[in-house]
Amino acid sequence: MNLEPRFDEAHAPGEARRAAREGAGVALATSLYGVSFGALGVAAGLDVWQTCVLSLLMFTGGSQFAFVGIVAAGGLAAIPAAIASAALLGVRNVAYSMRMAPIVGGGVWRRALAVQFTIDESVAVSLAQGTSHARQIGFWVTGVGIYAGWNVSTLAGALLGDVLGDPRAYGLDAAAAAAFLALLWPRLKHRQPIIVGIAAAVIATAVTPFVMPGMPVLIAAVVAIVVGWANLFGSGAVNAEPWDEPDDVAERGGLP
């Protein structure tokens, strides 16, 4: 991977190296959470190898935590709800892929490879850069770095969890809730997401005693679907991000 300045960043020396540093820092910090997932996976009844396969193939933290959390609460009977909840949380990655396709560029194989690394962190680091080359560097360094680190730490957590036993003794049982809160909190900047969050929490709490584990998440998701479809409690326009997107982003030329 070439980190030297290219034609589109002659006006911004060091932009690619800065993107690489940011990506590496985010990868290091994010990878550590894999220890919690590994321990929770084993505590939920999965084998070490099953827990590691989830990280290798699923590789989207929120979906993974949702899956093992629901399985831990409901056992084998809750697996259909666990799969549905994990898939629902993973839908956002489809939107990320559409957004990142023109940035990743290249042919079919390059984009197919990029799918596995298209997650919240890699997209965020990429879009924070000011040039197309730096955005590519940020995406690949972050995505590949987290993938490698997350799988190593998942293995470590699964082995530790297998040896140490109940993760609740170490507070790791709160990791799933903390992961969801970390995903939600940065989005609570406008009236609409705040109302959706509160309404979803109330509905999920109300139906929990009456339905099988995992179903409250799916039922509460209906709130977000209805509000988003009808654009309730919104201003009628998409809220702008606090920063301006660079002029050379491909979607300004009509691409996704």
Side-chain angles (χ1 to χ4, degrees):
M1 184 179 294
N2 181 17
L3 301 183
E4 293 300 319
R6 299 200 315 187
F7 65 91
D8 66 337
E9 56 182 6
H11 62 287
E15 184 78 16
R17 291 187 177 88
R18 184 160 50 250
R21 288 195 301 268
E22 291 177 2
V26 171
L28 178 62
T30 304
S31 296
L32 297 178
Y33 290 104
V35 175
S36 296
F37 172 74
L40 287 170
V42 171
L46 301 178
D47 295 335
V48 171
W49 73 269
Q50 290 173 326
T51 303
C52 291
V53 166
L54 276 178
S55 282
L56 283 168
L57 301 182
M58 187 178 291
F59 188 53
T60 168
S63 296
Q64 292 179 235
F65 278 113
F67 184 88
V68 299
I70 293 172
V71 170
L76 293 178
I79 286 183
I83 293 174
S85 296
L88 187 64
L89 286 169
V91 166
R92 71 186 189 281
N93 287 22
V94 176
Y96 289 162
S97 296
M98 294 173 63
R99 176 63 183 82
M100 294 302 297
I103 293 176
V104 171
V108 174
W109 291 110
R110 180 184 178 93
R111 295 191 180 190
L113 179 63
V115 168
Q116 184 70 349
F117 308 123
T118 303
I119 56 176
D120 298 288
E121 293 81 3
S122 62
V123 172
V125 172
S126 176
L127 296 182
Q129 309 309 315
T131 64
S132 61
H133 182 52
R135 286 194 290 276
Q136 290 184 10
I137 295 296
F139 172 81
W140 288 108
V141 170
T142 307
V144 174
I146 293 178
Y147 185 79
W150 182 267
N151 281 283
V152 170
S153 61
T154 293
L155 175 60
L159 293 174
L160 286 173
D162 209 21
V163 171
L164 299 177
D166 191 352
R168 290 177 293 183
Y170 309 97
L172 292 179
D173 56 315
F180 287 126
L181 182 60
L183 288 172
L184 175 65
W185 191 259
R187 291 162 173 78
L188 299 181
K189 298 178 180 179
H190 304 286
R191 179 178 58 182
Q192 189 179 71
I194 292 173
I195 292 175
V196 169
I198 294 174
V202 170
I203 291 174
T205 302
V207 303
T208 294
F210 309 106
V211 298
M212 65 182 295
M215 289 304 297
V217 176
L218 300 179
I219 295 172
V222 175
V223 176
I225 294 172
V226 171
V227 171
W229 187 272
N231 195 28
L232 300 176
F233 311 111
S235 61
V238 178
N239 291 311
E241 293 292 340
W243 61 83
D244 291 329
E245 206 171 49
D247 290 336
D248 61 338
V249 173
E251 67 184 6
R252 297 191 179 216
L255 295 177

